């Protein structure tokens, strides 16, 4: 998408900026205090901190009794989000192509079915999934919750990929076939590069939803060896004995940093998911 | 290599596009499939290159039956209307792609790409991507890609449709030059009669999935088998007059003029006929005087084009060397060359 940052000569942007600043001030303050509170202590009831401290970030170098190490949890989260991304990308880039281009019996039914699955709230399935996972021995394991989360997010990916594949001209594929390439080569070498923006976007999107997923890991993989950050965070606030609000905030900041980094570097690609075209 | 279509039929679902078509293209020949859009010419082309499977009938390359072979095993080169270049690859990678998928050594590919790109005059553009090329250059890349693995057959699907007028002229002779130099059998699909006539050895004119006539361009122009063929070839197009047969002559609708024609000797009186007159056969020279009013005049630089409305309202076109004595609205008495006129029966058959 082209840059839309140019300002209009006919309208001054000052009043709009002013209004937006005013409206978003409370949000900005909230974020500011989220950060300030993690590196300082203040008197009860006071807004101004009276000392700087790193004690709330202690969780980074010491593991509390009964809790998992933050680094193990972070690694788990990366494995969780990364695996989901990989599974979704591989399956939906192939399924999308098949649904867009090959002669599939009952294509309409299939697409509608996939859509219905997407519309299904995962919470309604959680009890049955719990039972199934326990039955096959994947309860309290990362693999189990990865498979479940990937399966639930898959319909959106398949639909998105199908939409992007639909915009790739048929002639490119025909040319590939008469040039002597097999159907798989055509897909891999000619068609897939055309939808690279979509792959980027879907990959980021999947990673971010995986990173922020809470309810599935909480129910299906709560054990301390397989905890992810969202579950760890929740366990902090649920712990009535050692209630520490500042540490909770520090973990929260720690949790959100990778997301911010991704947004900063890849927001152009992420926008593509709503653009729906093969733009680079 | 000779191409033979034997009783080739193709239908999509219940729609029959082509039924029992026979067509033979000689080795080294360039044949045009000419027809209006929707006449099945592209379908035929896609069947020859293996993208569509024929519903019935056979397709032979030389003596080899390729009917059930997939595209990959047919060794055909295709130039698509949109060129279908691979946007993410450079020109060099595009041209080399057919060899790359065959796993040829990289050195050989480089050499062959250099050869073929010199042949189509794009050897200075190898590092660019398709988006950085003009229409004519893209066209040359597409040609090079189609030719690089020395195909048995070259298929061109409206290759000039996306070019501007001047480039079209240039690429017309360019494609013909390459075809002659490589001696490859080629089929050109087009709806433009000028392209077909200027580039090809023979023309197969198609209508509603059938071949109406196959002939060399000049044969077809001078001896059209039906009114459709006569109307399709020629620019400016032929004009048609309605009339009927009366004792061995064509009589125009209002009886204003009669034209004795040998071919009408055995035709019963009163049969409805159509007379086709090419614009170059109506003008100052000829043997039959026809009177009318100039309703349209256009100068094309070297020639002038006139539409003359006759008394019964029908229109005759005339093309003449430039003159400035005739103006819009003038009444003219021009002559018609009766031996050059075509007579068609009511069903369009030439008599």
């Amino acid at each position: 998408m082209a840059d839309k940052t140019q300002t209009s000569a006919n309208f001054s942007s000052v009043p709009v900026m002013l209004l937006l600043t005013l409206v978003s001030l409370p949000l900005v303050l909230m974020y500011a205090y989220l950060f300030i509170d993690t590196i300082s202590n203040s008197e009860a009831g006071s807004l101004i901190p009276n000392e700087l401290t790193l004690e709330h970030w202690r969780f980074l170098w010491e593991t509390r009794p009964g809790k998992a190490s933050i680094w193990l949890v972070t690694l788990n989260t990366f494995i969780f989000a990364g695996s989901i991304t990989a599974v979704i990308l591989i399956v939906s880039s192939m399924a999308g192509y098949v649904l867009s281009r090959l002669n599939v019996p009952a294509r309409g039914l299939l697409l509608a079915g996939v859509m219905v699955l997407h519309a299904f709230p995962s919470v309604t399935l959680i009890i049955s999934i719990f039972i199934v996972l326990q039955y096959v021995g994947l309860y309290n394991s990362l693999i189990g919750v990865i498979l479940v989360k990937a399966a639930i997010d898959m319909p959106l990916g398949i639909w998105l990929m199908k939409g992007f594949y639909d915009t790739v001209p048929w002639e490119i594929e025909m040319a590939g076939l008469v040039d002597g390439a097999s159907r798989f080569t055509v897909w891999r070498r000619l068609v897939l590069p055309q939808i690279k923006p979509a792959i980027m976007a879907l990959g980021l999107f999947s990673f971010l939803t995986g990173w922020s997923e809470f309810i599935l890991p909480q129910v299906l993989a709560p054990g301390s060896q397989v905890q992810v950050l969202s579950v760890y965070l929740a366990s902090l606030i649920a712990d009535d004995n050692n209630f520490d609000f500042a540490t909770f905030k520090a973990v929260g900041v720690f949790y959100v940093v990778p997301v911010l980094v991704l947004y900063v570097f890849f927001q152009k690609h992420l926008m593509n998911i709503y653009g729906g075209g093969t733009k680079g | 290599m000779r191409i033979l279509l034997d009783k080739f039929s193709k239908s999509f679902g219940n729609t029959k596009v082509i039924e029992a078509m026979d067509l033979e293209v000689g080795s080294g020949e360039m044949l045009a499939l000419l027809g209006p859009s929707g006449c099945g010419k592209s379908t035929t082309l896609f069947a020859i290159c293996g993208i569509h499977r024929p519903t019935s009938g056979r397709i032979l390359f030389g003596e080899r039956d390729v009917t059930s072979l997939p595209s990959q095993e047919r060794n055909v080169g295709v130039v698509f209307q949109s060129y279908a270049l691979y946007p993410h690859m450079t020109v060099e990678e595009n041209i080399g792609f057919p060899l790359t998928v065959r796993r040829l050594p990289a050195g050989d590919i480089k050499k062959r790409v250099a050869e073929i790109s010199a042949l189509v005059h794009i050897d200075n553009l190898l590092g660019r991507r398709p988006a950085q090329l003009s229409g004519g250059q893209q066209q040359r890349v597409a040609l090079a890609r189609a030719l690089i693995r020395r195909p048995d057959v070259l298929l061109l699907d409206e290759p000039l449709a996306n070019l501007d007028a001047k480039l079209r002229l240039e690429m017309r002779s360019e494609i013909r030059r390459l075809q002659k130099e490589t001696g490859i059998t080629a089929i050109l699909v087009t709806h433009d009669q000028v392209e077909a006539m200027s580039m090809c050895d023979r023309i197969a004119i198609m209508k509603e999935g059938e071949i109406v006539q196959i002939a060399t361009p000049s044969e077809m122009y001078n001896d059209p088998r039906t009114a459709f063929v006569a109307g399709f070839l020629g620019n400016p197009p032929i004009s048609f007059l309605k009339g009927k047969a009366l004792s061995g002559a064509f009589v125009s609708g209002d009886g204003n003029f009669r034209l004795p024609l040998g071919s009408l000797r055995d035709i019963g009186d009163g049969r409805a006929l159509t007379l086709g007159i090419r614009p170059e056969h109506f003008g100052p020279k000829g043997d039959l005087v026809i009177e009318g009013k100039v309703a349209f005049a256009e100068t094309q630089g070297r020639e002038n084009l006139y539409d003359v409305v006759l008394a019964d309202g029908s229109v005759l076109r005339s093309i003449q060397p430039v003159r400035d004595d005739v103006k819009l609205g003038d009444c003219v008495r021009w002559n018609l060359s009766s031996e050059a006129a075509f007579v068609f029966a009511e069903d369009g058959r030439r008599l």
Side-chain angles (χ1 to χ4, degrees):
Chain A
M1 215 169 279
D3 278 351
K4 283 178 180 167
T5 44
Q6 68 204 41
T7 45
S8 163
N10 290 339
F11 299 97
S12 164
S13 51
V14 174
V16 180
M17 295 292 265
L18 222 64
L19 192 75
L20 284 177
T21 312
L22 218 67
V23 172
S24 45
L25 209 58
L27 268 173
V28 173
L29 275 177
M30 268 157 57
Y31 282 121
Y33 269 95
L34 175 66
F35 183 68
I36 290 167
D37 283 356
T38 65
I39 53 162
S40 64
N41 281 323
S42 42
E43 299 275 317
S46 161
L47 275 180
I48 295 121
N50 52 8
E51 59 165 343
L52 284 178
T53 173
L54 278 178
E55 62 173 302
H56 308 308
W57 288 91
R58 232 174 29 230
F59 68 93
L60 287 180
W61 54 87
E62 51 189 56
T63 305
R64 289 204 215 172
K67 290 252 180 296
S69 150
I70 184 75
W71 298 110
L72 175 69
V73 174
T74 311
L75 179 71
N76 281 344
T77 318
F78 268 109
I79 293 174
F80 178 65
S83 308
I84 287 166
T85 310
V87 172
I88 288 180
L89 278 187
I90 292 169
V91 175
S92 51
S93 66
M94 290 184 172
Y97 180 75
V98 167
L99 285 169
S100 165
R101 287 296 154 91
L102 302 189
N103 241 336
V104 186
R107 178 200 316 265
L109 205 70
L110 221 63
L111 277 171
V114 167
M115 202 66 200
V116 169
L117 283 181
H118 176 54
F120 230 87
S122 52
V123 184
T124 54
L125 297 172
I126 209 150
I127 292 169
S128 44
I129 290 174
F130 178 84
I131 293 170
V132 170
L133 283 190
Q134 197 137 48
Y135 189 73
V136 298
L138 288 175
Y139 171 70
N140 222 346
S141 74
L142 268 179
I143 297 179
V145 73
I146 285 168
L147 288 178
V148 171
K149 173 68 177 158
I152 285 170
D153 279 0
M154 202 89 76
L156 176 74
I158 292 175
W159 262 88
L160 203 89
M161 284 294 136
K162 183 199 171 286
F164 275 90
Y165 279 124
D166 285 345
T167 65
V168 177
W170 267 107
E171 279 84 2
I172 286 185
E173 271 177 76
M174 292 192 200
L177 290 181
V178 296
D179 279 349
S182 68
R183 199 72 200 243
F184 184 78
T185 311
V186 165
W187 171 72
R188 174 67 200 77
R189 309 261 322 260
L190 302 180
V191 181
L192 210 52
Q194 311 303 318
I195 60 155
K196 233 162 73 204
I199 303 261
M200 273 308 267
L202 181 62
L204 279 167
F205 192 77
S206 305
F207 189 87
L208 290 177
T209 51
W211 189 263
S212 58
E213 178 62 35
F214 167 63
I215 193 75
L216 289 174
Q218 166 77 9
V219 176
L220 305 175
S224 64
Q225 291 310 300
V226 291
Q227 244 173 20
V228 294
L229 273 169
S230 57
V231 179
Y232 179 87
L233 194 61
S235 73
L236 281 183
I237 206 163
D239 191 348
D240 290 333
N241 299 326
N242 313 295
F243 188 75
D244 180 351
F245 210 70
T247 302
F248 177 74
K249 283 180 181 174
V251 174
V253 171
F254 180 76
Y255 179 42
V256 87
V257 166
V259 177
L260 290 180
V261 170
L262 277 182
Y263 262 104
V264 167
F265 283 103
F266 296 110
Q267 58 156 312
K268 198 184 95 199
H269 298 285
L270 209 58
M271 285 305 171
N272 250 323
I273 212 164
Y274 307 109
T278 46
K279 287 163 271 175
Chain B
M1 189 168 285
R2 174 193 79 137
I3 307 169
L4 181 73
L5 299 189
D6 179 23
K7 303 253 175 326
F8 159 66
S9 304
K10 177 72 196 171
S11 30
F12 294 101
N14 288 328
T15 345
K16 283 183 181 147
V17 181
I18 288 165
E19 254 194 292
M21 176 166 139
D22 292 315
L23 176 68
E24 185 168 2
V25 188
S27 188
E29 186 185 31
M30 183 150 177
L31 178 108
L33 282 178
L34 177 66
S37 46
C39 73
K41 53 193 193 309
S42 289
T43 309
T44 311
L45 192 89
F46 287 145
I48 294 172
C49 69
I51 287 167
H52 294 335
R53 289 284 159 84
T55 316
S56 66
R58 294 189 307 153
I59 300 172
L60 278 82
F61 288 0
E63 291 306 318
R64 196 163 66 115
D65 189 337
V66 298
T67 316
S68 51
L69 282 186
S71 294
Q72 291 95 329
E73 289 162 40
R74 286 197 190 189
N75 201 21
V76 288
V78 185
V79 175
F80 292 90
Q81 180 173 355
S82 57
Y83 315 138
L85 300 179
Y86 311 131
H88 58 293
M89 296 186 185
T90 63
V91 167
E92 183 167 11
E93 288 163 339
N94 260 286
I95 299 175
F97 185 75
L99 304 182
T100 316
V101 295
R102 267 166 217 211
R103 310 240 158 89
L104 258 66
D108 289 7
I109 297 178
K110 216 168 168 61
K111 218 176 82 205
R112 294 264 292 273
V113 169
E115 270 169 36
I116 201 88
S117 54
L119 186 70
V120 299
H121 305 316
I122 46 165
D123 32 348
N124 53 336
L125 305 171
L126 290 181
R128 296 214 202 159
R129 279 174 205 282
Q132 300 165 312
L133 299 178
S134 71
Q137 290 166 337
Q138 289 184 23
Q139 168 85 80
R140 284 165 194 269
V141 176
L143 265 169
R145 191 181 64 187
L147 289 172
I148 191 162
R149 64 211 158 101
R150 303 180 183 125
D152 298 331
V153 180
L154 177 66
L155 304 176
L156 304 145
D157 185 16
E158 310 238 5
L160 308 175
N162 290 339
L163 299 178
D164 62 56
K166 194 159 163 273
L167 255 179
R168 204 176 290 185
L169 217 66
E170 184 190 319
M171 287 312 291
R172 224 156 70 187
S173 47
E174 190 70 12
I175 291 174
R176 181 61 165 162
R177 172 181 75 86
L178 287 169
Q179 188 263 331
K180 283 215 164 128
E181 264 174 41
T182 51
I184 196 171
T185 311
I187 297 182
L188 169 81
V189 159
T190 180
H191 61 260
D192 183 344
Q193 46 105 7
V194 182
E195 266 172 38
M197 290 182 75
S198 59
M199 289 167 74
C200 295
D201 299 307
R202 283 195 304 157
I203 297 175
I205 195 161
M206 290 184 69
K207 185 190 180 188
E208 288 159 12
E210 275 174 37
I211 293 181
V212 187
Q213 187 175 1
I214 306 188
T216 64
S218 63
E219 263 172 39
M220 193 169 274
Y221 187 77
N222 296 318
D223 187 17
R225 200 173 291 163
T226 68
F228 173 76
V229 176
F232 213 88
L233 291 189
N235 184 28
I238 198 166
S239 26
F240 291 110
L241 295 180
K242 293 255 177 261
K244 55 180 185 286
L246 196 65
S247 54
F250 171 89
V251 177
S252 70
D254 56 354
N256 221 352
F257 72 91
R258 45 176 281 135
L259 181 64
L261 288 166
S263 53
L264 292 180
R265 206 163 295 137
D266 303 325
I267 301 295
D269 285 357
R271 251 185 75 178
L273 296 174
T274 308
L275 192 69
I277 298 142
R278 294 217 183 267
E280 62 268 31
H281 298 137
F282 177 57
K285 274 179 280 180
D287 50 359
L288 184 78
V289 175
I290 291 183
E291 205 170 318
K293 199 167 132 192
V294 177
F296 169 83
E298 175 188 274
T299 182
Q300 296 180 341
R302 191 160 31 86
E303 281 150 342
N304 280 4
L305 179 65
Y306 299 105
D307 279 7
V308 177
V309 180
L310 308 189
D312 63 348
S314 46
V315 176
L316 276 182
R317 241 165 261 139
S318 167
I319 191 155
Q320 303 172 16
V322 164
R323 55 193 282 183
D324 42 20
D325 54 335
V326 181
K327 284 191 189 55
L328 206 65
D330 286 359
C331 277
V332 290
R333 285 168 65 83
W334 280 339
N335 305 302
L336 192 151
S337 317
S338 58
E339 75 277 8
F342 305 129
V343 191
F344 302 99
E346 210 170 1
D347 58 2
R349 228 165 14 88
R350 168 108 179 276
L351 296 172

